[in-house]
Amino acid sequence: QSGLFAYDPGFTSTASCRSEITYIDGEAGILLYRGHPIEQLAEKCSFLEVSYLLLNGELPTQKQYDDFVRQVTYHTLLHDQLSYFFQGFRRDAHPMAIMVAVVGALSAFYHDALDIRSKANRDLSAIRIIAKIPTIVAMSYKYSIGLSFMYPRNDLGYVENFMRMMLGNPCEEYHENPVLVKALDRILILHADHEQNASTSTVRLAGSSGANPYACLTSGIACLWGPAHGGANEAVLNMLLEIGDSENISHYLEKAKDKNDPFRLMGFGHRVYKNYDPRAKLMRQTCHEVLDELGLHDDPLFKLALELERIALEDEYFIEKKLYPNVDFYSGIVLRALGIPVNMFTAMFAMGRSVGWIAHWDEMISDPEHKIGRPRQLYTGKTQRDVLSIGERE
Ligand code: SDX
């Protein structure tokens, strides 16, 4: 129809559709970060090594890694006035509401982020984001349970530091089980990036106007919060608790197939993967390791999830629609076993994905050919018509 513009949801007319960072083959179930398979990165690298890779394009040498870790460690502390932001929230505020507010407020404190023409400023903003988001996540949890904030400690590793701020208390020393630290480190790797997903595309589109990185990450956090995206890990756990017992699985699978029923099998299906999400396999393996380490191998929710997966993957609806478990299906079970409360699951997803967001933001803003995003649309409204005075309108 003349005068109408075709809106292709996959194209936002910015450089966001051209990227060197992550490759997904949805049919084959392949995920590469800068060409490296996620399976090898999850097995051989730390989250900070993978963060360096996503930001710089190559895995770090030992010297580069040591320097990167030193920089991140140095920036884990928040400006003390940021702690006042938490005092304004109700204690039962959802952690993602707090993250949207506090991460956005970072641009009110770290003004170098406002001048994004400088690569040094962009690099420093990336370090600050990777360093400070765990502190913000831990503080939002501590605030919600009425306990004092824990300052980060520079003598601890990245994940152990987070777990101490989140789960430790100032009255006693905190030493986390190294198996659990490694498990959480791997979970952050699995969440670090995923190409042009909704929240990353949101960050790139927001950044295409020249907005500062903290403000852009706020848009990504807001988008990730939705239950169809990062909010799914919290929804999966609530779904498993609602299903309760394996004898109820077939009833819920029928609900999931019923187009008139809003219920969807949370943690199943994906916009891109039409095969098993490679991250889900690694997350299931991590579940086994953590639950075995904690002596919880008979965890009823994990057994229910395994049975639900088995039955669904044998169901012709799920086979025909190519619906497989995605990254969120098992992540909630392992986070819960690590002592992370359900309402913090999406904040944990944001903690891992923040490095992907800032890597994509930097790639886009550093591209001299990038233009402000301006998605086109397929107009389906009224054709031109005259205005009637209010008395003539019916
Ligand atoms: C993430 O993009 C990313 O990369 C996201 C992510 C990342 O790392 O950033 O991977 C993280 O968001 C993973 C997805 C988490 N969300 C959930 O687990 C929520 C449950 N999943 C569904 O909401 C759904 O699968 C979506 C939203 C994820 C995808 O929906 P689509 O695009 O409709 O999936 P599809 O085209 O493959 O669906 C095919 C059919 C459709 O039915 P028909 O129109 O053919 O009749 O399968 C149906 C869908 O309605 N379907 C489901 C289903 N998912 C799709 N039916 C029941 N249960 C489901 N979970």
Side-chain angles (χ1 to χ4, degrees), residues 76 78 83 86 91 95-96 98-99 102-103 130-153 158-169 174 184 339-341 343-344 347-348 350-351:
T76 49
L78 279 192
S83 61
F86 292 83
R91 293 284 182 182
M96 290 298 277
I98 295 176
M99 281 194 74
V102 178
V103 172
I130 294 168
K132 296 182 189 304
I133 285 196
T135 308
I136 294 169
V137 170
M139 289 170 79
S140 62
Y141 174 60
K142 282 291 194 222
Y143 182 74
S144 72
I145 58 174
L147 291 183
S148 57
F149 296 143
M150 302 272 285
Y151 280 102
R153 274 192 17 201
Y158 185 81
V159 169
E160 191 174 2
N161 200 10
F162 165 72
M163 293 175 92
R164 176 182 166 275
M165 290 189 284
M166 172 94 178
L167 303 172
N169 79 61
Y174 183 83
L184 184 51
I340 310 286
N343 70 342
M344 295 294 300
M348 298 301 294
M351 198 163 108

Side-chain angles (χ1 to χ4, degrees), residues 194 228-229 259 265 267-268 270-271 274 279 326 353:
H194 210 240
H229 191 9
K259 290 302 169 203
L265 201 57
F268 257 74
H270 199 274
R271 294 305 308 268
K274 303 311 169 190
R279 301 169 298 173
N326 59 49
R353 185 54 53 88

Side-chain angles (χ1 to χ4, degrees), residues 249-268:
I249 288 175
S250 53
H251 167 67
Y252 279 88
L253 288 187
E254 290 313 307
K255 283 171 61 70
K257 300 178 210 175
D258 179 357
K259 290 302 169 203
N260 299 317
D261 189 323
F263 176 78
R264 284 288 174 273
L265 201 57
M266 302 314 281
F268 257 74

Side-chain angles (χ1 to χ4, degrees), residues 61-332:
T61 61
Q62 188 63 55
K63 182 179 179 312
Q64 290 166 332
Y65 180 67
D66 294 345
D67 182 52
F68 186 69
V69 170
R70 183 188 55 75
Q71 289 183 66
V72 169
T73 302
Y74 178 79
H75 285 286
T76 49
L77 209 49
L78 279 192
H79 188 295
D80 221 37
Q81 282 179 245
L82 272 162
S83 61
Y84 301 142
F85 279 77
F86 292 83
Q87 308 310 329
F89 293 109
R90 282 175 35 168
R91 293 284 182 182
D92 61 353
H94 194 288
M96 290 298 277
I98 295 176
M99 281 194 74
V100 163
V102 178
V103 172
L106 292 174
S107 44
F109 288 82
Y110 304 109
H111 293 161
D112 40 57
L114 305 183
D115 177 7
I116 59 175
R117 292 163 303 174
S118 146
K119 180 168 182 350
N121 285 350
R122 297 199 301 269
D123 291 349
L124 179 54
S125 298
I127 292 285
R128 283 197 166 119
I129 281 162
I130 294 168
K132 296 182 189 304
I133 285 196
T135 308
I136 294 169
V137 170
M139 289 170 79
S140 62
Y141 174 60
K142 282 291 194 222
Y143 182 74
S144 72
I145 58 174
L147 291 183
S148 57
F149 296 143
M150 302 272 285
Y151 280 102
R153 274 192 17 201
N154 292 354
D155 60 323
L156 295 178
Y158 185 81
V159 169
E160 191 174 2
N161 200 10
F162 165 72
M163 293 175 92
R164 176 182 166 275
M165 290 189 284
M166 172 94 178
L167 303 172
N169 79 61
C171 309
E172 54 195 43
E173 267 309 296
Y174 183 83
H175 295 290
E176 187 47 80
N177 177 328
V179 172
L180 306 188
V181 171
K182 173 63 187 158
L184 184 51
D185 191 282
R186 184 188 304 156
I187 290 168
L188 295 177
I189 291 172
L190 297 179
H191 286 92
D193 193 51
H194 210 240
E195 200 222 63
Q196 302 301 324
N197 58 86
S199 55
T200 300
S201 296
T202 301
V203 170
R204 288 185 75 129
L205 194 53
S208 68
S209 71
N212 74 75
Y214 303 124
C216 295
L217 251 76
T218 299
S219 67
I221 293 168
C223 178
L224 185 75
W225 193 358
H229 191 9
N233 53 17
E234 183 176 342
V236 167
L237 207 89
N238 292 329
M239 174 188 74
L240 291 172
L241 291 168
E242 183 183 333
I243 294 174
D245 190 288
S246 55
E247 65 187 24
N248 301 325
I249 288 175
S250 53
H251 167 67
Y252 279 88
L253 288 187
E254 290 313 307
K255 283 171 61 70
K257 300 178 210 175
D258 179 357
K259 290 302 169 203
N260 299 317
D261 189 323
F263 176 78
R264 284 288 174 273
L265 201 57
M266 302 314 281
F268 257 74
H270 199 274
R271 294 305 308 268
V272 177
Y273 288 122
K274 303 311 169 190
N275 200 325
Y276 212 107
D277 182 336
R279 301 169 298 173
K281 285 179 190 166
L282 293 163
M283 200 67 82
R284 187 180 59 200
Q285 174 195 326
T286 305
C287 254
H288 276 296
E289 291 167 11
V290 167
L291 294 173
D292 284 349
E293 178 68 20
L294 295 172
L296 299 172
H297 28 263
D298 290 330
D299 178 87
L301 277 187
F302 185 42
K303 295 179 83 168
L304 179 62
L306 290 170
E307 183 64 1
L308 175 54
E309 174 188 348
R310 184 187 67 78
I311 296 172
L313 294 185
E314 291 172 356
D315 183 292
E316 62 185 29
Y317 173 91
F318 288 84
I319 294 168
E320 179 220 327
K321 307 263 185 204
K322 297 184 178 180
L323 303 176
Y324 293 85
N326 59 49
V327 67
D328 293 300
F329 189 64
Y330 288 105
S331 60

